[in-house]
Amino acid sequence: MSDVSSKDAKGPDAPPGLVARIIDSDMFHSFLRSRITVLAAIGTLILFFVAFFAPLVAPHDPFDLASVSILDARVPPFWMEFADPRFPLGTDDQGRDIISAIFYGMRISLIVGFCSVFLAAALGITLGLIAGYMGGRVDAVIMRIADIQLTFPAILIALLVDGAVHGIFGTLNREVFSFWILIFSIALSFWVQYARTVRGSTMVEKNKEYVQAARVIGIPSSTIMIRHILPNVTGPVLVIATINLALAIVTEATLSFLGVGMPPTQPSLGTLIAIGNDFLYSGEWWIAIFPGLALALLVLNVNLLGDWLRDALNPKLR
Amino acid sequence: MLGFAVRRLMQAIVVLLVVALLSFSLFRFVGDPVNMMVGIETSIQEREALRERLGLNDPIPVQFGRFVVKAAQFDFGTSYQFHQPVSELFAKRIPATLELSFMSALFALAVGVPMGIYAGLNRESRLSKLFLSVSLVGISLPTFFIGILLIFLFSVTLQWLPSYGRGEVVKIGSWWTTGLLTWSGLKALIMPSITLGLYQMTLIMRLIRAEMLEVIRTDYIKFARARGLPDRIVHFRHALKNTLVPVITITGLQLGALIAFATITETVFQWPGMGIMFLQAVQNVDIPIMSAYLLLTAFLFVVINFIVDILYFLIDPRLRVERA
Amino acid sequence: MKTKSLIVAAAAFVGLTISSAQAETLKFAFQGTLNTLDPYSLNETFTLSALGNTYEGLTRRNEKLEIEPSLAESWEVIEPNRWRFHLRKGVKFQNGNDFNAEDVAFSLKRLHSEGSDLAKRVNADVKLEIVDDYTVDFVLPSPNPILPYEWDTWYIMDKEWTEEHDAVAVTSASDTTPNYAALHANGTGPFKIVSHEPGVKTVYEKYDGWWDKPTHNLDTVEFTPIGSDATRVAALLSGELDMVYPIPVQDVKRVEDNPGTRALIGPELRTIFLGMDQMRDELLYSNVKGKNPFKDVRVRKAFYQAIDIEAIKSKVMRNLSTPSALMISPFLFARSDEFKRFPYDPKAAKALLADAGYPDGFEVGMDCPNDRYVNDEAICQAVAAMLARIGVKVDLNAQPKAKYFAKVLASGGYDTSFYLLGWTPGSFDSWNILDNLIQCRDEKGKGGAFNLGGYCNKKVDELADEILVENDQTKRDALIAEAFTISNDEVAHIPLHQQALAWGVRDGVEVAQRADNQFLFRFVTKK
């Protein structure tokens, strides 16, 4: 645990040596050592880039209805018969360019994924730490709230929140509402995992000598929780968070399948798959398969990075 | 131990009450049940009369009170869609869902645990990396898509496995049905179980790997090794046992998630369980079924969590000090 | 102890497979569930169709939807206000009871009792008089030429059976104990229901005591609901099922190409159309404030002409739709070929919008179901894209039917500005369209209750009243044509098309595909 205090000591004059320190760090070495991680990092960067700069990179704007023509519907990808050079990966049932839709859709999926995972993790870790560390009544209350939360799967939360929001605000601006409904629903159904995992590890961790020693010398509970226990529970949390980012994107897709995800006029990657799903048997496989591949690629890269990050961050594995 | 159990029981009742209240107050927003119960040509006056008869015009607390009193007697009312007592409907559907969830959990554990141990012990091996990558691809596609792809491959193209339903089921006792005893029932279980269990398998595998990686580097294991204990004993008696706390937490949680996520799998494979019934209930605003489903899953979750907590006690003696 | 019951169960199972192997069994799937067996609980096509194999009405319809005698052998109008029905003799219910006039009288009473969803099949002021055991008279307050048009789905129940099982009251959702008639059936039809697990499986068996000569060769029929389109099609392609319906339009070719299966395509009677709120002074969902653009016929016509119906037909419906100029199927109105659609013309549409004072268009919210009609959501999306080209920005709100109907129908306060709806006239007659969709209504829905946009023209209402009592077919058709001409010129609605029926059938199975989407086993033969 010496690195914690040394970091504190060097804190103020960190900026000048930051780059040098990163290059010199164990993490960077382990990063370069693993070829697959480098590949994953490059892949992730490219995907993030095309997603966040979709309006600049994409050949068409699939969300602009005036530019979409139904007469271009279901054009196959470039190597097949009847392909159209305007649409390299073909078009969907509404005549939207698939590759543009993937870029735009990935942006929505990523934002939904990040926001919901971040929200879930923040909530779950805080509550889990408190529950595990305090124990007793606080623990019981938080864990019972968690139990209640678990009985509401994301699907149901989305349905309920969706209904409630529309009941209160009406149905205008559906795109905006759907977006926030998704984030909240997914975050609400995910936080319990973090809370329970963090709580379990905290309960083990807090009985260890170093925590008891810290307590004896009078370090406040909040400091102990954040400085000493939190770093030791990040391993499982990171595993969950990386898988959760994937799961959030996939859950969003499932919700679209059930009709409570992003509307088809503003499709996410998941919505695109759900739409394309209907055309699998009829031979227009590209409508579902390309977004599916994009999703798989994105999730795979993120997870590979997460794997590496997890091992690299874990002091016990050095 | 007994005091602990009693305390948890009290908490469980509170949980169930809160779930009942939450679901009940939120259900109002899901839609109008009357619309689903009558045809399109029914007049407004008739609709209003039906609403009155159903008690939908009463204040929410009154409706809730009525619900709790009846639920305590296992009476969840009559389904709006099926005109049958909800408790009977669930009794018929529960075996299908539990059997599917159980088989999925079995699949997830039977495949996930050995793969996790192997990947944890042989961190750098190609096979471990293959396990990790392949399992990632498996979870990066939505359940419904995997299910439909499986159907496309194994039912439509190869015609090996049935695309829908439970096959022939055998009745055991007064209400339990099982597909485990017939050939067609077993065949029908394969694709849904894999579809449903794939995500859990990946999670368990990765978790076990992560824990194993940590544990085999601890002083305690190094010491055991230094004592000259054979690898097999070190790995399985010492190391694996220490990975179990988080694994049990997650597995316990995932068992609940299996039941919840069964809704999607059941929809894709037309599995006649309670998940598909719940989803239909949501679409048709069948409030009695929705309420009962929520209470039932709440009940299952509470039971599972209770068992998980007891297991904590048994596995990690350090936790006992705290409670006692 | 468990082992013993297991062995018994296993033995029972083996016995079951052996006995069922010899019989001709039809296995089919539909997208929805059969929720109740009570024939008066739910006025919905599939429920009525499924029960139509067990129950029968006084009349029935053949493959071509022509009315023919069923439990009534014949009928006549003996006075303008009095219809006489001669009942078939020697008919037995499936429990062995005799069918007679008492059962008809009982069924009428039950039809009009509380909780019945089919009460409109017979007007409430129609009186029934029993002349003798096999003759009944229906006495009407005013003449009605279409009186028995919907009686093929008014099923006759057995008075003794219903009373014996305490099922006289129609099953309603508020019942705390299940109604016997919701789970059991006792009709006079060609099949009896031997087991019924709602939402899982329903099994029919041939009824040997049926009065008519069976043309089918089935012994057992198994029905399974399969909600997922892909799974339903897969079950047909893999040979697990003999017949599934509906199949999505995009899978028709696949079902055709697959060896051993074929698709049956036929016109459906339902008309899909768009409606616009013409009643409120300001639209609920629009950026136009202080006035309602849809009150201007030029705006409505602009919307009409902006829609490329042929593109919807070829791209969304894969040619499995018939563009329609009328709110009723051409099969149901003899003079329908006199009507033409306004041509697709985006330039003209834009000019009309500019004339009306919206040269840059405006924004409007659109409500659409996404699980009710064939490709409903895709149609709405296509419409939104087409309207975008004349400058109208559509905010599309596509929802599952439960939420959609709760919002846009009377019970939701007609909470919509622009919507897509489908309608099949239950009586197969134009008056039903005028009565439900075109007649004026007030805020509460009195009048044309499903005229969601609130189009209103007193002249059309007067014509509708005349049509109802007019007995002369030519005069009646002229009145109908006049009413449709007025409402078309004023763009009361934008009719889109009649969707096609698409059923998937295994080779060797012959079925009759009726245009009302009813699947009746008596028309099935299996090789």
Side-chain angles (χ1 to χ4, degrees):
Chain A
M1 290 302 111
S2 61
D3 57 346
V4 173
S5 50
S6 66
K7 208 182 274 168
D8 279 353
K10 277 185 184 172
D13 58 349
L18 190 64
V19 177
R21 260 184 38 202
I22 288 176
I23 291 174
D24 202 32
S25 70
D26 289 351
M27 262 178 83
F28 196 70
H29 277 287
S30 85
F31 178 74
L32 286 182
R33 255 209 327 269
S34 162
R35 214 179 319 147
I36 196 156
T37 311
V38 177
L39 279 177
I42 295 170
T44 311
L45 272 180
I46 293 174
L47 289 172
F48 279 24
F49 179 82
V50 296
F52 287 107
F53 294 98
L56 303 175
V57 200
H60 303 266
D61 179 358
F63 294 176
D64 175 18
L65 284 179
S67 75
V68 174
S69 170
I70 187 89
L71 293 170
D72 296 328
R74 306 194 309 269
V75 170
F78 66 88
W79 65 86
M80 289 171 69
E81 212 183 339
F82 308 119
D84 183 326
R86 285 179 299 159
F87 311 113
L89 293 187
T91 60
D92 71 357
D93 63 317
Q94 290 289 329
R96 283 185 296 227
D97 177 37
I98 293 275
I99 189 135
S100 308
I102 288 176
F103 290 170
Y104 276 81
M106 190 141 52
R107 180 161 72 157
I108 292 179
S109 294
L110 274 175
I111 297 175
V112 170
F114 273 119
C115 290
S116 53
V117 167
F118 183 77
L119 206 64
L123 193 66
I125 292 172
T126 314
L127 291 176
L129 271 177
I130 294 173
Y133 191 78
M134 307 287 243
R137 198 155 291 174
V138 177
D139 179 33
V141 169
I142 292 177
M143 284 303 110
R144 262 8 85 202
I145 294 175
D147 285 352
I148 294 167
Q149 182 60 67
L150 277 177
T151 59
F152 291 87
I155 304 159
L156 184 63
I157 295 174
L159 286 169
L160 294 176
V161 176
D162 188 70
V165 167
H166 290 310
I168 298 163
F169 298 106
T171 47
L172 262 193
N173 293 320
R174 187 171 159 76
E175 280 104 0
V176 181
F177 277 132
S178 301
F179 179 73
W180 288 107
I181 291 167
L182 280 172
I183 291 177
F184 274 107
S185 315
I186 296 172
L188 271 178
S189 62
F190 279 1
W191 70 269
V192 178
Q193 281 192 14
Y194 298 92
R196 293 198 59 119
T197 311
V198 169
R199 169 182 173 267
S201 308
T202 309
M203 281 163 69
V204 174
E205 215 60 49
K206 77 169 170 186
N207 289 319
K208 289 195 174 155
E209 291 80 359
Y210 74 94
V211 175
Q212 272 160 6
R215 216 184 283 179
V216 168
I217 58 171
I219 294 174
S221 302
S222 56
T223 314
I224 297 180
M225 276 193 259
I226 294 164
R227 285 276 167 78
H228 302 287
I229 297 181
L230 189 56
N232 282 296
V233 298
T234 45
V237 164
L238 265 179
V239 176
I240 295 174
T242 48
I243 290 202
N244 261 358
L245 179 61
L247 187 66
I249 296 171
V250 171
T251 304
E252 191 276 327
T254 307
L255 289 171
S256 306
F257 176 67
L258 297 175
V260 285
M262 287 305 286
T265 42
Q266 296 264 298
S268 65
L269 229 39
T271 318
L272 289 174
I273 298 176
I275 294 171
N277 200 21
D278 293 339
F279 302 98
L280 270 182
Y281 292 165
S282 53
E284 284 114 12
W285 51 269
W286 60 88
I287 303 177
I289 297 294
F290 286 134
L293 277 178
L295 181 69
L297 212 59
L298 176 68
V299 172
L300 189 67
N301 280 321
V302 169
N303 269 308
L304 285 171
L305 269 190
D307 275 357
W308 161 77
L309 197 67
R310 190 208 159 278
D311 289 359
L313 279 182
N314 193 336
K316 291 182 209 155
L317 291 187
R318 289 193 191 145
Chain B
M1 186 73 194
L2 186 69
F4 172 68
V6 169
R7 211 161 53 231
R8 288 303 302 268
L9 192 70
M10 298 298 289
Q11 288 169 355
I13 291 171
V14 176
V15 168
L16 290 177
L17 274 177
V18 175
V19 168
L21 182 64
L22 273 181
S23 51
F24 216 84
S25 39
L26 280 169
F27 278 152
R28 299 174 54 209
F29 295 112
V30 177
D32 183 1
V34 171
N35 256 320
M36 298 312 302
M37 286 153 52
V38 298
I40 193 169
E41 290 180 34
T42 309
S43 77
I44 295 152
Q45 292 77 10
E46 289 169 71
R47 283 163 197 258
E48 198 44 48
L50 180 57
R51 197 184 305 278
E52 191 63 46
R53 278 211 310 279
L54 289 172
L56 291 172
N57 287 342
D58 294 341
I60 295 291
V62 175
Q63 293 189 37
F64 176 64
R66 204 163 40 211
F67 174 71
V68 169
V69 170
K70 283 186 173 171
Q73 305 156 24
F74 297 103
D75 174 7
F76 297 102
T78 310
S79 154
Y80 294 166
Q81 304 166 77
F82 299 117
H83 306 285
Q84 248 185 310
V86 171
S87 44
E88 273 180 31
L89 286 168
F90 271 96
K92 278 186 197 138
R93 302 295 190 104
I94 283 174
T97 298
L98 287 188
E99 196 163 280
L100 175 61
S101 305
F102 175 75
M103 290 306 285
S104 307
L106 202 69
F107 161 76
L109 285 171
V111 181
V113 170
M115 271 165 76
I117 294 173
Y118 180 86
L121 294 176
N122 309 287
R123 193 179 167 195
E124 298 298 328
S125 95
R126 273 172 195 283
L127 192 59
S128 303
K129 287 186 173 152
L130 186 75
F131 281 169
L132 283 175
S133 311
V134 169
S135 70
L136 279 181
V137 175
I139 61 160
S140 60
L141 290 170
T143 311
F144 69 90
F145 198 53
I146 294 175
I148 286 165
L149 291 178
L150 284 177
I151 290 177
F152 188 66
L153 188 61
F154 292 103
S155 299
V156 177
T157 311
L158 298 171
Q159 308 209 344
W160 288 350
L161 297 169
S163 58
Y164 77 99
R166 289 182 80 188
E168 296 284 350
V169 291
V170 175
K171 210 166 178 189
I172 302 177
S174 60
W175 61 282
W176 189 269
T177 54
T178 179
L180 292 173
L181 296 172
T182 67
W183 179 232
S184 70
L186 283 173
K187 277 206 319 201
L189 263 167
I190 296 173
M191 288 200 298
S193 305
I194 292 177
T195 308
L196 181 57
L198 203 57
Y199 171 69
Q200 274 69 26
M201 184 209 88
T202 310
L203 197 62
I204 288 170
M205 185 197 103
R206 295 170 70 85
L207 204 71
I208 294 220
R209 171 185 171 271
E211 291 296 324
M212 278 303 254
L213 283 178
E214 280 191 12
V215 169
I216 53 174
R217 280 165 176 76
T218 56
D219 296 343
Y220 151 76
I221 294 295
K222 284 180 190 153
F223 182 67
R225 234 177 256 206
R227 278 203 338 223
L229 290 173
D231 271 4
R232 194 167 45 85
I233 297 207
V234 175
H235 289 160
F236 291 96
R237 188 156 314 155
H238 296 86
L240 187 60
K241 198 176 163 192
N242 273 285
T243 65
L244 284 182
V245 169
V247 170
I248 285 175
T249 315
I250 294 293
T251 313
L253 284 178
Q254 292 306 318
L255 206 61
L258 277 177
I259 293 169
F261 276 93
T263 39
I264 310 291
T265 311
E266 288 180 9
T267 306
V268 172
F269 292 97
Q270 195 63 38
W271 192 262
M274 50 186 204
I276 194 171
M277 184 164 74
F278 169 70
L279 213 60
Q280 275 166 14
V282 171
Q283 276 156 8
N284 296 309
V285 202
D286 193 338
I287 293 176
I289 288 188
M290 288 158 87
S291 315
Y293 177 85
L294 275 191
L295 276 177
L296 203 68
T297 41
F299 179 74
L300 284 173
F301 276 114
V302 167
V303 169
I304 290 166
N305 282 333
F306 181 69
I307 294 170
V308 167
D309 277 351
I310 302 274
L311 282 178
Y312 274 0
F313 265 65
L314 300 179
I315 290 170
D316 198 332
R318 284 171 298 184
L319 294 175
R320 276 179 221 166
V321 187
E322 180 68 22
R323 294 282 189 188
Chain C
M1 322 169 285
K2 264 238 174 86
T3 354
K4 193 179 161 192
S5 59
L6 276 185
I7 292 166
V8 174
F13 157 67
V14 170
L16 193 82
T17 40
I18 289 167
S19 64
S20 67
Q22 299 151 340
E24 203 68 87
T25 301
L26 177 86
K27 290 185 177 183
F28 81 101
F30 175 71
Q31 79 187 133
T33 53
L34 177 58
N35 290 343
T36 174
L37 301 184
D38 191 320
Y40 304 155
S41 275
L42 190 60
N43 184 13
E44 183 249 348
T45 306
F46 176 71
T47 305
L48 295 175
S49 154
L51 294 178
N53 295 300
T54 292
Y55 285 105
E56 290 173 308
L58 293 179
T59 68
R60 70 180 186 193
R61 285 177 189 265
N62 64 12
E63 297 101 309
K64 292 178 198 133
L65 289 178
E66 292 155 349
I67 294 181
E68 56 180 38
S70 178
L71 290 180
E73 274 181 317
S74 63
W75 53 89
E76 60 208 313
V77 187
I78 51 174
E79 291 162 32
N81 287 0
R82 181 180 286 267
W83 290 57
R84 174 158 294 178
F85 280 74
H86 302 282
L87 306 182
R88 193 176 296 279
K89 296 186 177 107
V91 173
K92 283 198 187 301
F93 283 97
Q94 286 152 2
N95 67 347
N97 287 358
D98 283 323
F99 159 76
N100 57 32
E102 286 291 334
D103 295 316
V104 179
F106 169 80
S107 295
L108 182 64
K109 213 170 134 210
R110 193 173 188 271
L111 187 77
H112 283 147
S113 67
E114 200 185 341
S116 164
D117 197 34
L118 280 86
K120 274 188 136 184
R121 285 287 186 280
V122 189
N123 265 341
D125 40 23
V126 171
K127 299 272 172 299
L128 183 143
E129 287 172 14
I130 296 179
V131 180
D132 63 45
D133 260 7
Y134 292 98
T135 313
V136 291
D137 280 2
F138 290 91
V139 186
L140 287 58
S142 60
N144 179 359
I146 57 170
L147 177 74
Y149 274 27
E150 287 186 77
W151 287 11
D152 56 312
T153 49
W154 165 35
Y155 299 129
I156 304 302
M157 297 178 79
D158 180 17
K159 181 170 189 271
E160 290 78 24
W161 179 82
T162 317
E163 282 171 350
E164 181 192 332
H165 293 105
D166 203 16
V168 176
V170 174
T171 310
S172 95
S174 54
D175 291 343
T176 41
T177 49
N179 188 316
Y180 190 81
L183 296 172
H184 304 83
N186 175 41
T188 54
F191 289 87
K192 46 188 182 184
I193 293 176
V194 288
S195 87
H196 173 61
E197 262 186 89
V200 181
K201 196 196 246 183
T202 306
V203 182
Y204 296 79
E205 248 172 41
K206 183 185 174 193
Y207 170 46
D208 291 321
W210 191 37
W211 56 269
D212 200 3
K213 191 174 170 297
T215 51
H216 69 85
N217 68 341
L218 304 174
D219 299 293
T220 314
V221 178
E222 271 183 37
F223 160 64
T224 315
I226 301 184
S228 156
D229 284 342
T231 311
R232 195 167 55 249
V233 173
L236 175 75
L237 294 178
S238 65
E240 291 165 78
L241 293 175
D242 300 309
M243 186 270 182
V244 301
Y245 79 109
I247 52 176
V249 289
Q250 60 267 16
D251 292 336
V252 166
K253 191 167 175 302
R254 167 88 204 193
V255 171
E256 281 288 334
D257 293 348
N258 184 56
T261 59
R262 67 188 195 281
L264 284 186
I265 308 297
E268 198 186 347
L269 299 176
R270 176 179 283 129
T271 303
I272 306 293
F273 59 91
L274 302 172
M276 298 145 284
D277 179 6
Q278 300 151 51
M279 207 160 164
R280 290 185 179 84
D281 291 326
E282 183 181 297
L283 288 178
L284 292 173
Y285 306 101
S286 173
N287 63 347
V288 179
K289 295 296 165 202
K291 57 178 174 174
N292 176 349
F294 287 136
K295 276 186 187 281
D296 190 329
V297 65
R298 286 171 296 187
V299 174
R300 303 202 294 268
K301 201 170 168 200
F303 271 49
Y304 196 137
Q305 295 204 282
I307 292 166
D308 184 355
I309 196 69
E310 289 301 326
I312 291 181
K313 179 186 173 184
S314 65
K315 292 296 175 176
V316 180
M317 303 301 289
R318 306 204 185 209
N319 292 322
L320 294 179
S321 70
T322 317
S324 179
L326 277 181
M327 295 290 285
I328 191 163
S329 160
F331 294 94
L332 300 178
F333 180 47
R335 292 176 56 178
S336 52
D337 51 357
E338 294 168 22
F339 292 83
K340 293 278 169 292
R341 287 183 63 87
F342 290 117
Y344 163 61
D345 188 345
K347 279 211 188 76
K350 208 149 169 37
L352 279 167
L353 266 192
D355 267 6
Y358 307 97
D360 303 316
F362 56 93
E363 284 180 35
V364 65
M366 180 180 192
D367 289 287
C368 188
N370 60 17
D371 58 355
R372 182 67 188 90
Y373 312 113
V374 176
N375 287 349
D376 40 14
E377 188 173 8
I379 296 171
C380 290
Q381 271 183 269
V383 166
M386 289 165 184
L387 288 173
R389 297 184 165 234
I390 62 163
V392 174
K393 187 184 174 293
V394 173
D395 188 11
L396 180 60
N397 179 23
Q399 305 186 81
K401 55 179 183 272
K403 289 163 109 182
Y404 171 74
F405 285 126
K407 182 172 184 283
V408 304
L409 294 188
S411 52
Y414 298 111
D415 182 10
T416 183
S417 296
F418 183 36
Y419 61 93
L420 177 134
L421 198 67
W423 191 270
T424 311
S427 58
F428 304 134
D429 179 78
S430 302
W431 184 76
N432 176 292
I433 303 283
L434 294 167
D435 182 41
N436 283 294
L437 300 179
I438 300 181
Q439 210 182 77
C440 303
R441 66 159 173 87
D442 64 11
E443 274 88 18
K444 296 266 173 55
K446 212 166 153 43
F450 297 92
N451 178 3
L452 310 186
Y455 165 80
C456 185
N457 185 326
K458 291 279 176 252
K459 175 72 184 146
V460 176
D461 284 16
E462 282 163 22
L463 285 168
D465 291 343
E466 286 178 52
I467 291 161
L468 178 63
V469 294
E470 178 58 63
N471 276 321
D472 181 279
Q473 191 61 43
T474 320
K475 274 192 206 154
R476 198 164 179 274
D477 281 355
L479 291 170
I480 294 172
E482 192 183 346
F484 279 152
T485 307
I486 297 173
S487 58
N488 270 12
D489 287 347
E490 296 186 335
V491 198
H493 301 85
I494 303 173
L496 295 177
H497 55 240
Q498 279 87 36
Q499 59 192 31
L501 292 176
W503 296 6
V505 190
R506 189 152 75 169
D507 289 350
V509 179
E510 296 297 329
V511 307
Q513 186 179 38
R514 283 193 0 183
D516 60 354
N517 208 15
Q518 284 210 20
F519 173 49
L520 295 175
F521 315 149
R522 66 187 163 98
F523 300 125
V524 178
T525 50
K526 192 182 168 186
K527 262 179 263 172

